PDB file of all heavy atoms in Angstrom:
ATOM      1  N   TYR B 279     109.996 118.446  94.440  1.00 93.00           N
ATOM      2  CA  TYR B 279     109.553 119.629  95.228  1.00 93.00           C
ATOM      3  C   TYR B 279     109.718 119.668  96.728  1.00 93.00           C
ATOM      4  O   TYR B 279     108.872 120.181  97.382  1.00 93.00           O
ATOM      5  CB  TYR B 279     108.051 119.792  94.785  1.00 93.00           C
ATOM      6  CG  TYR B 279     107.911 120.548  93.401  1.00 93.00           C
ATOM      7  CD1 TYR B 279     108.142 119.813  92.310  1.00 93.00           C
ATOM      8  CD2 TYR B 279     107.598 121.858  93.273  1.00 93.00           C
ATOM      9  CE1 TYR B 279     108.120 120.423  91.009  1.00 93.00           C
ATOM     10  CE2 TYR B 279     107.549 122.529  92.064  1.00 93.00           C
ATOM     11  CZ  TYR B 279     107.773 121.794  90.916  1.00 93.00           C
ATOM     12  OH  TYR B 279     107.767 122.276  89.712  1.00 93.00           O
ATOM     13  N   LEU B 280     110.737 118.835  97.064  1.00 95.00           N
ATOM     14  CA  LEU B 280     111.186 118.941  98.426  1.00 95.00           C
ATOM     15  C   LEU B 280     112.296 119.961  98.554  1.00 95.00           C
ATOM     16  O   LEU B 280     113.313 119.986  97.669  1.00 95.00           O
ATOM     17  CB  LEU B 280     111.637 117.640  98.953  1.00 95.00           C
ATOM     18  CG  LEU B 280     110.630 116.473  99.039  1.00 95.00           C
ATOM     19  CD1 LEU B 280     111.252 115.143  98.808  1.00 95.00           C
ATOM     20  CD2 LEU B 280     109.895 116.653 100.283  1.00 95.00           C
ATOM     21  N   ARG B 281     112.216 120.952  99.421  1.00 95.00           N
ATOM     22  CA  ARG B 281     113.255 122.011  99.538  1.00 95.00           C
ATOM     23  C   ARG B 281     114.565 121.432  99.936  1.00 95.00           C
ATOM     24  O   ARG B 281     114.753 121.014 101.111  1.00 95.00           O
ATOM     25  CB  ARG B 281     112.777 123.162 100.393  1.00 95.00           C
ATOM     26  CG  ARG B 281     111.536 123.830  99.736  1.00 95.00           C
ATOM     27  CD  ARG B 281     111.231 125.183 100.307  1.00 95.00           C
ATOM     28  NE  ARG B 281     110.207 125.804  99.636  1.00 95.00           N
ATOM     29  CZ  ARG B 281     109.973 127.066  99.333  1.00 95.00           C
ATOM     30  NH1 ARG B 281     110.855 127.945  99.943  1.00 95.00           N
ATOM     31  NH2 ARG B 281     109.076 127.538  98.651  1.00 95.00           N
ATOM     32  N   PRO B 282     115.688 121.633  99.114  1.00 96.00           N
ATOM     33  CA  PRO B 282     117.002 120.997  99.413  1.00 96.00           C
ATOM     34  C   PRO B 282     117.808 121.846 100.412  1.00 96.00           C
ATOM     35  O   PRO B 282     117.327 122.987 100.689  1.00 96.00           O
ATOM     36  CB  PRO B 282     117.637 120.935  98.049  1.00 96.00           C
ATOM     37  CG  PRO B 282     117.010 122.034  97.298  1.00 96.00           C
ATOM     38  CD  PRO B 282     115.629 122.184  97.846  1.00 96.00           C
ATOM     39  N   ARG B 283     118.850 121.202 101.008  1.00 95.00           N
ATOM     40  CA  ARG B 283     119.583 121.966 101.975  1.00 95.00           C
ATOM     41  C   ARG B 283     120.890 122.420 101.217  1.00 95.00           C
ATOM     42  O   ARG B 283     121.401 123.430 101.571  1.00 95.00           O
ATOM     43  CB  ARG B 283     120.089 121.061 103.095  1.00 95.00           C
ATOM     44  CG  ARG B 283     119.064 120.242 103.802  1.00 95.00           C
ATOM     45  CD  ARG B 283     118.373 121.241 104.730  1.00 95.00           C
ATOM     46  NE  ARG B 283     117.347 120.578 105.486  1.00 95.00           N
ATOM     47  CZ  ARG B 283     116.424 121.264 106.245  1.00 95.00           C
ATOM     48  NH1 ARG B 283     116.327 122.553 106.292  1.00 95.00           N
ATOM     49  NH2 ARG B 283     115.623 120.584 107.075  1.00 95.00           N
ATOM     50  N   ASN B 284     121.341 121.689 100.113  1.00 94.00           N
ATOM     51  CA  ASN B 284     122.481 122.091  99.374  1.00 94.00           C
ATOM     52  C   ASN B 284     122.371 123.351  98.679  1.00 94.00           C
ATOM     53  O   ASN B 284     121.407 123.548  97.907  1.00 94.00           O
ATOM     54  CB  ASN B 284     122.778 120.882  98.402  1.00 94.00           C
ATOM     55  CG  ASN B 284     123.957 121.140  97.650  1.00 94.00           C
ATOM     56  OD1 ASN B 284     124.154 122.055  97.010  1.00 94.00           O
ATOM     57  ND2 ASN B 284     124.948 120.168  97.775  1.00 94.00           N
ATOM     58  N   ALA B 285     123.224 124.311  98.972  1.00 93.00           N
ATOM     59  CA  ALA B 285     123.164 125.710  98.402  1.00 93.00           C
ATOM     60  C   ALA B 285     123.095 125.663  96.858  1.00 93.00           C
ATOM     61  O   ALA B 285     122.349 126.414  96.282  1.00 93.00           O
ATOM     62  CB  ALA B 285     124.320 126.558  98.945  1.00 93.00           C
ATOM     63  N   ALA B 286     124.077 124.909  96.288  1.00 95.00           N
ATOM     64  CA  ALA B 286     124.123 124.909  94.794  1.00 95.00           C
ATOM     65  C   ALA B 286     122.807 124.373  94.170  1.00 95.00           C
ATOM     66  O   ALA B 286     122.328 124.970  93.232  1.00 95.00           O
ATOM     67  CB  ALA B 286     125.278 123.999  94.327  1.00 95.00           C
ATOM     68  N   VAL B 287     122.267 123.356  94.791  1.00 95.00           N
ATOM     69  CA  VAL B 287     121.027 122.751  94.279  1.00 95.00           C
ATOM     70  C   VAL B 287     119.851 123.746  94.476  1.00 95.00           C
ATOM     71  O   VAL B 287     118.924 123.945  93.680  1.00 95.00           O
ATOM     72  CB  VAL B 287     120.696 121.406  94.931  1.00 95.00           C
ATOM     73  CG1 VAL B 287     119.323 120.870  94.388  1.00 95.00           C
ATOM     74  CG2 VAL B 287     121.789 120.375  94.674  1.00 95.00           C
ATOM     75  N   THR B 288     119.910 124.345  95.679  1.00 94.00           N
ATOM     76  CA  THR B 288     118.832 125.363  95.906  1.00 94.00           C
ATOM     77  C   THR B 288     118.884 126.466  94.935  1.00 94.00           C
ATOM     78  O   THR B 288     117.813 126.917  94.370  1.00 94.00           O
ATOM     79  CB  THR B 288     119.040 125.992  97.428  1.00 94.00           C
ATOM     80  OG1 THR B 288     119.150 124.872  98.278  1.00 94.00           O
ATOM     81  CG2 THR B 288     117.909 126.792  97.729  1.00 94.00           C
ATOM     82  N   ALA B 289     120.087 126.923  94.549  1.00 94.00           N
ATOM     83  CA  ALA B 289     120.143 127.951  93.604  1.00 94.00           C
ATOM     84  C   ALA B 289     119.622 127.552  92.195  1.00 94.00           C
ATOM     85  O   ALA B 289     119.017 128.330  91.652  1.00 94.00           O
ATOM     86  CB  ALA B 289     121.619 128.387  93.540  1.00 94.00           C
ATOM     87  N   LYS B 290     120.010 126.353  91.889  1.00 95.00           N
ATOM     88  CA  LYS B 290     119.574 125.788  90.557  1.00 95.00           C
ATOM     89  C   LYS B 290     118.102 125.703  90.449  1.00 95.00           C
ATOM     90  O   LYS B 290     117.504 125.955  89.377  1.00 95.00           O
ATOM     91  CB  LYS B 290     120.228 124.382  90.432  1.00 95.00           C
ATOM     92  CG  LYS B 290     120.095 123.904  88.940  1.00 95.00           C
ATOM     93  CD  LYS B 290     120.771 122.559  88.914  1.00 95.00           C
ATOM     94  CE  LYS B 290     120.275 121.830  87.633  1.00 95.00           C
ATOM     95  NZ  LYS B 290     120.746 120.439  87.598  1.00 95.00           N
ATOM     96  N   TYR B 291     117.383 125.360  91.537  1.00 94.00           N
ATOM     97  CA  TYR B 291     115.890 125.193  91.504  1.00 94.00           C
ATOM     98  C   TYR B 291     115.195 126.296  92.154  1.00 94.00           C
ATOM     99  O   TYR B 291     114.001 126.219  92.351  1.00 94.00           O
ATOM    100  CB  TYR B 291     115.560 123.866  92.218  1.00 94.00           C
ATOM    101  CG  TYR B 291     115.883 122.711  91.365  1.00 94.00           C
ATOM    102  CD1 TYR B 291     117.131 122.071  91.487  1.00 94.00           C
ATOM    103  CD2 TYR B 291     114.979 122.109  90.526  1.00 94.00           C
ATOM    104  CE1 TYR B 291     117.576 121.009  90.673  1.00 94.00           C
ATOM    105  CE2 TYR B 291     115.297 121.003  89.751  1.00 94.00           C
ATOM    106  CZ  TYR B 291     116.609 120.405  89.839  1.00 94.00           C
ATOM    107  OH  TYR B 291     116.811 119.397  89.008  1.00 94.00           O
ATOM    108  N   ALA B 292     115.902 127.439  92.237  1.00 92.00           N
ATOM    109  CA  ALA B 292     115.266 128.602  92.934  1.00 92.00           C
ATOM    110  C   ALA B 292     114.025 129.012  92.374  1.00 92.00           C
ATOM    111  O   ALA B 292     113.012 129.441  93.124  1.00 92.00           O
ATOM    112  CB  ALA B 292     116.164 129.841  92.881  1.00 92.00           C
ATOM    113  N   LYS B 293     113.764 128.791  90.997  1.00 91.00           N
ATOM    114  CA  LYS B 293     112.553 129.273  90.400  1.00 91.00           C
ATOM    115  C   LYS B 293     111.322 128.560  90.965  1.00 91.00           C
ATOM    116  O   LYS B 293     110.234 129.080  90.993  1.00 91.00           O
ATOM    117  CB  LYS B 293     112.772 129.141  88.814  1.00 91.00           C
ATOM    118  CG  LYS B 293     112.429 130.522  88.192  1.00 91.00           C
ATOM    119  CD  LYS B 293     112.741 130.441  86.694  1.00 91.00           C
ATOM    120  CE  LYS B 293     112.129 129.301  85.866  1.00 91.00           C
ATOM    121  NZ  LYS B 293     112.687 129.224  84.602  1.00 91.00           N
ATOM    122  N   GLN B 294     111.470 127.314  91.214  1.00 91.00           N
ATOM    123  CA  GLN B 294     110.254 126.555  91.583  1.00 91.00           C
ATOM    124  C   GLN B 294     110.000 126.614  93.090  1.00 91.00           C
ATOM    125  O   GLN B 294     109.038 126.106  93.548  1.00 91.00           O
ATOM    126  CB  GLN B 294     110.360 124.952  91.167  1.00 91.00           C
ATOM    127  CG  GLN B 294     111.330 124.215  92.099  1.00 91.00           C
ATOM    128  CD  GLN B 294     111.398 122.713  91.584  1.00 91.00           C
ATOM    129  OE1 GLN B 294     111.440 122.548  90.341  1.00 91.00           O
ATOM    130  NE2 GLN B 294     111.339 121.796  92.551  1.00 91.00           N
ATOM    131  N   PHE B 295     110.902 127.213  93.826  1.00 93.00           N
ATOM    132  CA  PHE B 295     110.693 127.409  95.328  1.00 93.00           C
ATOM    133  C   PHE B 295     110.565 128.946  95.660  1.00 93.00           C
ATOM    134  O   PHE B 295     111.555 129.462  96.013  1.00 93.00           O
ATOM    135  CB  PHE B 295     111.743 126.777  96.152  1.00 93.00           C
ATOM    136  CG  PHE B 295     111.796 125.315  95.972  1.00 93.00           C
ATOM    137  CD1 PHE B 295     112.951 124.677  95.403  1.00 93.00           C
ATOM    138  CD2 PHE B 295     110.764 124.470  96.320  1.00 93.00           C
ATOM    139  CE1 PHE B 295     113.043 123.235  95.239  1.00 93.00           C
ATOM    140  CE2 PHE B 295     110.822 123.055  96.174  1.00 93.00           C
ATOM    141  CZ  PHE B 295     112.001 122.527  95.648  1.00 93.00           C
ATOM    142  N   PRO B 296     109.386 129.582  95.485  1.00 92.00           N
ATOM    143  CA  PRO B 296     109.296 130.986  95.815  1.00 92.00           C
ATOM    144  C   PRO B 296     109.771 131.237  97.274  1.00 92.00           C
ATOM    145  O   PRO B 296     109.510 130.353  98.190  1.00 92.00           O
ATOM    146  CB  PRO B 296     107.729 131.186  95.702  1.00 92.00           C
ATOM    147  CG  PRO B 296     107.186 130.133  94.949  1.00 92.00           C
ATOM    148  CD  PRO B 296     108.124 128.948  95.247  1.00 92.00           C
ATOM    149  N   ALA B 297     110.325 132.348  97.435  1.00 90.00           N
ATOM    150  CA  ALA B 297     110.865 132.656  98.800  1.00 90.00           C
ATOM    151  C   ALA B 297     109.573 133.037  99.683  1.00 90.00           C
ATOM    152  O   ALA B 297     108.789 133.820  99.311  1.00 90.00           O
ATOM    153  CB  ALA B 297     111.713 133.915  98.706  1.00 90.00           C
ATOM    154  N   VAL B 298     109.452 132.340 100.846  1.00 92.00           N
ATOM    155  CA  VAL B 298     108.384 132.639 101.697  1.00 92.00           C
ATOM    156  C   VAL B 298     109.014 132.793 103.108  1.00 92.00           C
ATOM    157  O   VAL B 298     109.899 132.121 103.489  1.00 92.00           O
ATOM    158  CB  VAL B 298     107.446 131.299 101.728  1.00 92.00           C
ATOM    159  CG1 VAL B 298     106.335 131.542 102.742  1.00 92.00           C
ATOM    160  CG2 VAL B 298     106.909 130.947 100.443  1.00 92.00           C
ATOM    161  N   LYS B 299     108.337 133.670 103.871  1.00 95.00           N
ATOM    162  CA  LYS B 299     108.869 133.923 105.134  1.00 95.00           C
ATOM    163  C   LYS B 299     108.488 132.683 105.969  1.00 95.00           C
ATOM    164  O   LYS B 299     107.268 132.270 105.872  1.00 95.00           O
ATOM    165  CB  LYS B 299     108.199 135.221 105.740  1.00 95.00           C
ATOM    166  CG  LYS B 299     109.194 136.269 106.011  1.00 95.00           C
ATOM    167  CD  LYS B 299     108.865 137.209 107.125  1.00 95.00           C
ATOM    168  CE  LYS B 299     107.483 137.910 106.798  1.00 95.00           C
ATOM    169  NZ  LYS B 299     107.201 139.031 107.845  1.00 95.00           N
ATOM    170  N   LEU B 300     109.422 132.147 106.674  1.00 95.00           N
ATOM    171  CA  LEU B 300     109.085 130.850 107.359  1.00 95.00           C
ATOM    172  C   LEU B 300     109.484 130.960 108.853  1.00 95.00           C
ATOM    173  O   LEU B 300     110.400 131.784 109.193  1.00 95.00           O
ATOM    174  CB  LEU B 300     109.930 129.723 106.784  1.00 95.00           C
ATOM    175  CG  LEU B 300     109.674 129.245 105.423  1.00 95.00           C
ATOM    176  CD1 LEU B 300     110.630 128.280 104.935  1.00 95.00           C
ATOM    177  CD2 LEU B 300     108.256 128.734 105.342  1.00 95.00           C
ATOM    178  N   PHE B 301     108.740 130.217 109.682  1.00 95.00           N
ATOM    179  CA  PHE B 301     109.155 130.043 111.044  1.00 95.00           C
ATOM    180  C   PHE B 301     109.253 128.688 111.325  1.00 95.00           C
ATOM    181  O   PHE B 301     108.606 127.835 110.722  1.00 95.00           O
ATOM    182  CB  PHE B 301     108.112 130.735 111.995  1.00 95.00           C
ATOM    183  CG  PHE B 301     106.771 130.292 111.903  1.00 95.00           C
ATOM    184  CD1 PHE B 301     106.349 129.132 112.557  1.00 95.00           C
ATOM    185  CD2 PHE B 301     105.896 130.854 111.110  1.00 95.00           C
ATOM    186  CE1 PHE B 301     105.039 128.653 112.410  1.00 95.00           C
ATOM    187  CE2 PHE B 301     104.605 130.483 110.885  1.00 95.00           C
ATOM    188  CZ  PHE B 301     104.187 129.274 111.648  1.00 95.00           C
ATOM    189  N   GLY B 302     110.098 128.213 112.297  1.00 93.00           N
ATOM    190  CA  GLY B 302     110.294 126.733 112.560  1.00 93.00           C
ATOM    191  C   GLY B 302     109.454 126.409 113.727  1.00 93.00           C
ATOM    192  O   GLY B 302     108.875 127.252 114.471  1.00 93.00           O
ATOM    193  N   VAL B 303     109.509 125.116 114.166  1.00 93.00           N
ATOM    194  CA  VAL B 303     108.767 124.615 115.181  1.00 93.00           C
ATOM    195  C   VAL B 303     109.260 125.059 116.589  1.00 93.00           C
ATOM    196  O   VAL B 303     108.612 125.069 117.630  1.00 93.00           O
ATOM    197  CB  VAL B 303     108.624 123.095 115.329  1.00 93.00           C
ATOM    198  CG1 VAL B 303     107.730 122.641 114.104  1.00 93.00           C
ATOM    199  CG2 VAL B 303     109.932 122.432 115.140  1.00 93.00           C
ATOM    200  N   ASP B 304     110.494 125.765 116.482  1.00 93.00           N
ATOM    201  CA  ASP B 304     111.118 126.155 117.787  1.00 93.00           C
ATOM    202  C   ASP B 304     110.264 127.418 118.266  1.00 93.00           C
ATOM    203  O   ASP B 304     110.355 127.727 119.390  1.00 93.00           O
ATOM    204  CB  ASP B 304     112.572 126.764 117.482  1.00 93.00           C
ATOM    205  CG  ASP B 304     112.668 127.507 116.280  1.00 93.00           C
ATOM    206  OD1 ASP B 304     112.178 127.056 115.239  1.00 93.00           O
ATOM    207  OD2 ASP B 304     113.272 128.605 116.306  1.00 93.00           O
ATOM    208  N   LEU B 305     109.497 128.005 117.322  1.00 94.00           N
ATOM    209  CA  LEU B 305     108.437 129.049 117.845  1.00 94.00           C
ATOM    210  C   LEU B 305     107.562 128.496 118.974  1.00 94.00           C
ATOM    211  O   LEU B 305     107.188 129.256 119.898  1.00 94.00           O
ATOM    212  CB  LEU B 305     107.627 129.481 116.666  1.00 94.00           C
ATOM    213  CG  LEU B 305     106.600 130.568 116.929  1.00 94.00           C
ATOM    214  CD1 LEU B 305     107.356 131.882 117.173  1.00 94.00           C
ATOM    215  CD2 LEU B 305     105.603 130.741 115.724  1.00 94.00           C
ATOM    216  N   PHE B 306     107.397 127.162 118.966  1.00 95.00           N
ATOM    217  CA  PHE B 306     106.474 126.644 120.040  1.00 95.00           C
ATOM    218  C   PHE B 306     107.333 125.801 121.032  1.00 95.00           C
ATOM    219  O   PHE B 306     106.927 125.000 121.778  1.00 95.00           O
ATOM    220  CB  PHE B 306     105.556 125.585 119.405  1.00 95.00           C
ATOM    221  CG  PHE B 306     104.757 126.154 118.144  1.00 95.00           C
ATOM    222  CD1 PHE B 306     105.134 125.870 116.940  1.00 95.00           C
ATOM    223  CD2 PHE B 306     103.766 127.060 118.398  1.00 95.00           C
ATOM    224  CE1 PHE B 306     104.536 126.421 115.837  1.00 95.00           C
ATOM    225  CE2 PHE B 306     103.101 127.532 117.322  1.00 95.00           C
ATOM    226  CZ  PHE B 306     103.498 127.243 115.957  1.00 95.00           C
ATOM    227  N   GLY B 307     108.659 126.029 120.896  1.00 94.00           N
ATOM    228  CA  GLY B 307     109.530 125.314 121.887  1.00 94.00           C
ATOM    229  C   GLY B 307     109.720 123.882 121.370  1.00 94.00           C
ATOM    230  O   GLY B 307     110.084 122.991 122.179  1.00 94.00           O
ATOM    231  N   GLY B 308     109.688 123.698 120.109  1.00 92.00           N
ATOM    232  CA  GLY B 308     110.005 122.312 119.570  1.00 92.00           C
ATOM    233  C   GLY B 308     108.719 121.439 119.326  1.00 92.00           C
ATOM    234  O   GLY B 308     107.692 121.814 119.887  1.00 92.00           O
ATOM    235  N   LEU B 309     108.754 120.443 118.566  1.00 92.00           N
ATOM    236  CA  LEU B 309     107.567 119.526 118.330  1.00 92.00           C
ATOM    237  C   LEU B 309     107.029 118.927 119.590  1.00 92.00           C
ATOM    238  O   LEU B 309     105.820 118.858 119.667  1.00 92.00           O
ATOM    239  CB  LEU B 309     107.894 118.551 117.204  1.00 92.00           C
ATOM    240  CG  LEU B 309     107.671 119.014 115.840  1.00 92.00           C
ATOM    241  CD1 LEU B 309     107.865 117.956 114.889  1.00 92.00           C
ATOM    242  CD2 LEU B 309     106.154 119.494 115.624  1.00 92.00           C
TER     243      LEU B 309
END
Side-chain angles (χ1 to χ4, degrees):
Chain B
Y279 281 73
L280 294 155
R281 294 197 173 210
R283 304 289 186 191
N284 183 301
V287 178
T288 309
K290 188 178 165 190
Y291 286 87
K293 235 174 46 195
Q294 80 182 37
F295 296 118
V298 180
K299 245 203 307 184
L300 293 175
F301 57 87
V303 290
D304 47 309
L305 183 67
F306 312 100
L309 270 181

